Every structure is written in structure tokens, then in C-alpha cells.
Amino acid sequence: MQTINRLDALRRAVAELRQNGPVAFVPTMGALHEGHLTLVREAKAQAAHVVVSIFVNPTQFGPNEDLDAYPRRLAEDSRLLAAEGVDLLWAPDVAEMYPAGFSTNISVSGVSEGFCGAARPGHFDGVATVVNKLFNQVLPDLAFFGEKDWQQLAVIRRMARDLDLTLPHADRIHGVPTVREPDGLAMSSRNQYLSPAEREAAAALPRALRAAIARIESGGDVAGALAELESALGAAGFSSVDYAALADAESLEPLAHPAERPARLLVAARIGGTRLIDNMPVTFR
Ligand code: PAF
């Protein structure tokens, strides 16, 4: 596996790879876990070559968020990616990604405004801008993102459609189902912030999500199911629930009632100093 941190070298290396078949791309911020490696395996299954990026993007962190504390483990991450047969690791530094004078911002309205967008102002502008840059740098044929960050995936797909991206085309931006710990907790680089007691209590999040979905899918009212979910999280030791909502899977418009279209139940809640997010599909019969 080649590790590259200069844009001109990246462009040459990707052009060479592309001569022998399609290139799949997995953008990450490092601190890789099984969830990321699942994206890599899916990418490998669908393309001749896989490029992974590791870049802790400062513009998607708010002033009081964990940018400085965010885990950085490039050597260990490289070993994991090489073992998966990744062709190329793109690991630019902040000056390479945002040279002096950088002043462009991509803001996707609507889908990025509620939920995590409301709780983390500017976060999705930072994500959309860096992902657009990463796409333009790597020019992948297809790209893979985890469904755990469902709103992020919806924002990126909207951006790709709105800006008529071709590499990758919006239809070739793939969501990969969330990888979970044995007790159901969604894998996340932020789980390592949890104390042992918080980690144990955190399993209440997927449990409460599943219970609420079962209630909605069997005809129960949405508001009642969400209220029950919130009180289950409170009882388990979560200090607050940022949001718990049923939403259209693509536009993320909140749904007060079941509808004849794909929907997700989305939750963000805090336990100790850590904010956890999760979501699952809801099927209406
Ligand atoms: O999901 C992430 O790791 C990041 O938000 C991403 C997509 C790599 C952009 O920085």
C-alpha cells in the first residue's frame, strides 16, 4: 500500500490505478474500527482498486467539540488498511487540504439543517466541503460511507445530485449498514470516550431504538413510541436526548405518522461527556 500526502502525487497514482479498472473510495477520519474495515471490504468487493483517506477535518468540528482530543493513530491505521489490501492511503495534512487563502464553503440546505445539523452548527458545511474536495482529489468511480451517520450520507448524496458530480455519480455513493458490537451498540471512534459503566449503559440506545421501531411498525403511535424511547434512555443513565425522530429516509423531513416511503428512526443522546448517534430503518406494511 502506498501512502501519499501530496495532491500532485495522489493524482498521478490514482490515474495509474484507473488504467487497470475502477477505483473505489472510502473517506475516513482514521481511528479505524471494524465499521471502517467493513466499508473497505465492500469497496474491494465492488472495484478493482481501493483508495482510503484519513484526514481529521477541522472545519467539521465546532469550537467546543473534540478536535484536539480526536484519536489520531496513523501508523496503526496504515497497518490495518495494508492488511485489507488497500492500494492507496491518502493522508494529507491541514495545509495540503486547506492552503492559505482557502475561502470556499459548500452548504447543503434542507437535509443538513435539522437533527445533528441543528445541534452542531456548521458541521455539515464542513463535511460537504471536505467530501467534495476529497472527491475532486481522488476522482473515484464509487464511494462508500457508513449508514451510522445517516444524515451525513443524505447530505453527501444531495450535494452530489445538486452539483451533478460524475466522479463519483450520486448513484454510486453507497451506504453500508452499521456494524454493531455484540450488545448492539453501533461502532464509533467516539465509543472509546465511554467509561466502563457508560459503555455498558450505552447498549440501551440500540435496544430503545429497536423497541420504538417495533411499536411503530405494529401500528403504535409515533409520539408515544418516541416518548417511551426517551424515558428508556433516561432510565439507563443517558443525561439528555438531543433528538429522537422518525424521518423520511432521503429528505430527512420529520414524519409524525407512518408513510408509504422509506423512513428512518434517528436518535442522538448524551451519556457522560459523550454524544452518541444511531438510526435504523422503519418499514411500513
Ligand atoms: O464520517 C467521517 O469520518 C467524516 O465525516 C468524513 C466523511 C470522512 C468527512 O470528514
Side-chain angles (χ1 to χ4, degrees):
M1 182 181 78
Q2 258 184 293
T3 300
I4 294 182
N5 41 38
R6 304 297 305 213
L7 184 53
D8 48 0
L10 174 80
R11 290 194 193 287
R12 281 196 299 273
V14 176
E16 213 165 291
L17 288 180
R18 179 162 300 98
Q19 285 176 0
N20 304 314
V23 173
F25 179 43
V26 181
T28 81
M29 296 205 301
L32 304 179
H33 50 66
E34 199 55 29
H36 298 107
L37 300 181
T38 302
L39 300 181
V40 169
R41 286 170 204 143
E42 195 57 43
K44 261 190 94 65
Q46 293 199 39
H49 304 290
V50 179
V51 176
V52 175
S53 65
I54 294 183
F55 178 66
V56 181
N57 174 36
T59 69
Q60 69 188 75
F61 288 78
N64 300 316
E65 293 184 353
D66 55 345
L67 173 61
D68 292 337
Y70 200 84
R72 288 160 172 87
R73 299 196 292 247
L74 191 59
E76 195 182 325
D77 288 347
S78 307
R79 273 195 295 278
L80 290 171
L81 295 174
E84 293 294 334
V86 166
D87 297 87
L88 201 159
L89 169 58
W90 169 223
D93 63 14
V94 173
E96 186 73 0
M97 186 61 82
Y98 299 116
F102 183 87
S103 20
T104 297
N105 183 50
I106 294 180
S107 188
V108 182
S109 59
V111 66
S112 74
E113 285 168 17
F115 307 121
C116 286
R120 306 180 66 190
H123 169 69
F124 286 119
D125 287 13
V127 170
T129 305
V130 80
V131 169
N132 198 290
K133 278 178 68 72
L134 288 164
F135 283 171
N136 283 325
Q137 291 164 349
V138 175
L139 297 175
D141 299 283
L142 50 171
F144 293 81
F145 293 86
E147 288 187 353
K148 178 181 158 277
D149 295 298
W150 185 268
Q151 189 173 14
Q152 166 171 285
L153 179 60
V155 168
I156 290 166
R157 284 184 166 141
R158 181 77 263 161
M159 172 192 72
R161 266 186 236 115
D162 290 354
L163 298 181
D164 306 314
L165 297 194
T166 48
L167 289 172
H169 187 276
D171 293 346
R172 309 211 70 192
I173 295 176
H174 298 282
V176 176
T178 303
V179 179
R180 296 179 181 278
E181 301 286 356
D183 65 1
L185 182 66
M187 286 195 185
S188 164
S189 306
R190 290 192 168 103
N191 290 352
Q192 62 194 273
Y193 300 155
L194 300 169
S195 70
E198 290 164 356
R199 171 63 192 82
E200 206 181 321
L205 184 59
R207 261 201 317 274
L209 252 175
R210 285 205 171 92
I213 290 170
R215 184 167 161 176
I216 294 169
E217 287 183 344
S218 62
D221 76 302
V222 173
L226 295 178
E228 204 171 270
L229 181 153
E230 293 202 24
S231 68
L233 292 182
F238 280 78
S239 54
S240 62
V241 176
D242 275 5
Y243 60 78
L246 179 70
D248 179 278
E250 189 184 315
S251 69
L252 291 198
E253 276 166 47
L255 300 172
H257 304 286
E260 295 289 319
R261 47 193 168 145
R264 306 291 290 194
L265 197 62
L266 302 123
V267 183
R270 289 175 197 271
I271 184 159
T274 310
R275 182 175 182 275
L276 299 177
I277 61 172
D278 203 349
N279 73 87
M280 292 180 193
V282 181
T283 310
F284 299 110
R285 295 182 185 98

